[in-house]
């Protein structure tokens, strides 16, 4: 009976220990475990939200980058068009200037040609007068024969 009593005493002690543990220790442990599980769940939710925010930020950044690239390519295209227009304008101005210079040179050449013809006519008229003078052996009066000399210069 000694063994039975001791066994019953141990059983009662164990039962009291289980009851005290369930009444005082386990609720605190359960609360601490529940608190820890809640913090872990909140942390995972915050991580999911942070990851979603990061994905959205990356998406906005890539859209902004694509927009900036598009704007840059548009500006480059506009600059190329403007450069081409300026080059065409410069080319047109240069062609107009070249045409003007050519026209001026032709006008100068025509004017010099006309002066040379007039000088040549005058020289030919003088030579004709001198030749006629030589032939007639007398001096031809230029003022008296001006009509004849002017017809001669027109024919030449």
């Amino acid at each position: 009976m000694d063994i039975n009593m001791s066994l019953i005493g141990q059983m009662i002690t164990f039962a009291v220990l289980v009851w005290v543990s369930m009444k005082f220790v386990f609720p605190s442990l359960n609360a601490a475990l529940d608190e820890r599980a809640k913090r872990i769940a909140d942390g995972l939710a915050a991580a999911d939200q942070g990851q979603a925010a990061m994905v959205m930020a990356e998406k906005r950044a890539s859209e902004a980058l694509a927009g900036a690239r598009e704007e840059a390519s548009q500006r480059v295209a506009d600059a190329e068009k403007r450069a081409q227009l300026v080059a065409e304008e410069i080319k047109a101005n240069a062609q107009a200037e070249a045409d003007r210079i050519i026209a001026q040179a032709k006008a100068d050449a025509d004017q010099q040609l006309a002066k040379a013809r007039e000088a040549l006519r005058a020289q030919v008229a003088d030579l004709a007068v001198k030749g006629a003078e030589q032939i007639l052996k007398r001096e031809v009066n230029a003022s008296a024969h001006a009509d004849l000399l002017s017809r001669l210069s027109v024919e030449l």
Side-chain angles (χ1 to χ4, degrees):
M1 241 197 271
D2 247 349
I3 294 182
N4 276 342
M5 266 308 187
S6 134
L7 188 61
I8 290 177
Q10 285 179 351
M11 284 175 47
I12 290 175
T13 304
F14 183 72
V16 169
L17 180 65
V18 168
W19 179 80
V20 168
S21 293
M22 288 181 70
K23 183 75 175 172
F24 298 108
V25 174
F26 285 155
S28 297
L29 285 175
N30 280 339
L33 289 174
D34 288 345
E35 175 78 22
R36 177 76 177 149
K38 184 177 182 287
R39 281 189 299 196
I40 289 172
D42 289 347
L44 289 174
D48 288 344
Q49 287 177 350
Q51 190 170 5
M54 186 177 78
V55 167
M56 289 299 293
E58 286 176 354
K59 184 178 178 183
R60 283 192 305 264
S62 66
E63 288 173 355
L65 185 60
R69 284 185 181 148
E70 178 66 29
E71 182 180 346
S73 66
Q74 183 64 36
R75 285 186 180 185
V76 167
D78 290 345
E80 286 174 354
K81 286 180 186 176
R82 176 114 171 96
Q84 186 176 13
L85 289 175
V86 168
E88 288 175 5
E89 182 179 339
I90 289 171
K91 185 178 178 181
N93 288 344
Q95 185 63 42
E97 182 68 15
D99 291 345
R100 186 190 65 76
I101 290 171
I102 290 170
Q104 182 66 36
K106 284 182 181 179
D108 289 347
D110 289 344
Q111 187 178 14
Q112 288 177 359
L113 182 63
K115 284 181 183 178
R117 282 185 181 162
E118 285 300 318
L120 186 60
R121 281 186 187 147
Q123 288 176 356
V124 168
D126 284 344
L127 285 175
V129 168
K130 285 182 182 178
E133 187 178 284
Q134 292 276 334
I135 293 173
L136 297 174
K137 296 282 184 192
R138 62 183 177 99
E139 185 177 329
V140 176
N141 188 352
S143 61
H145 301 293
D147 186 40
L148 178 64
L149 291 175
S150 67
R151 274 190 276 140
L152 182 61
S153 91
V154 169
E155 287 178 13
L156 297 175

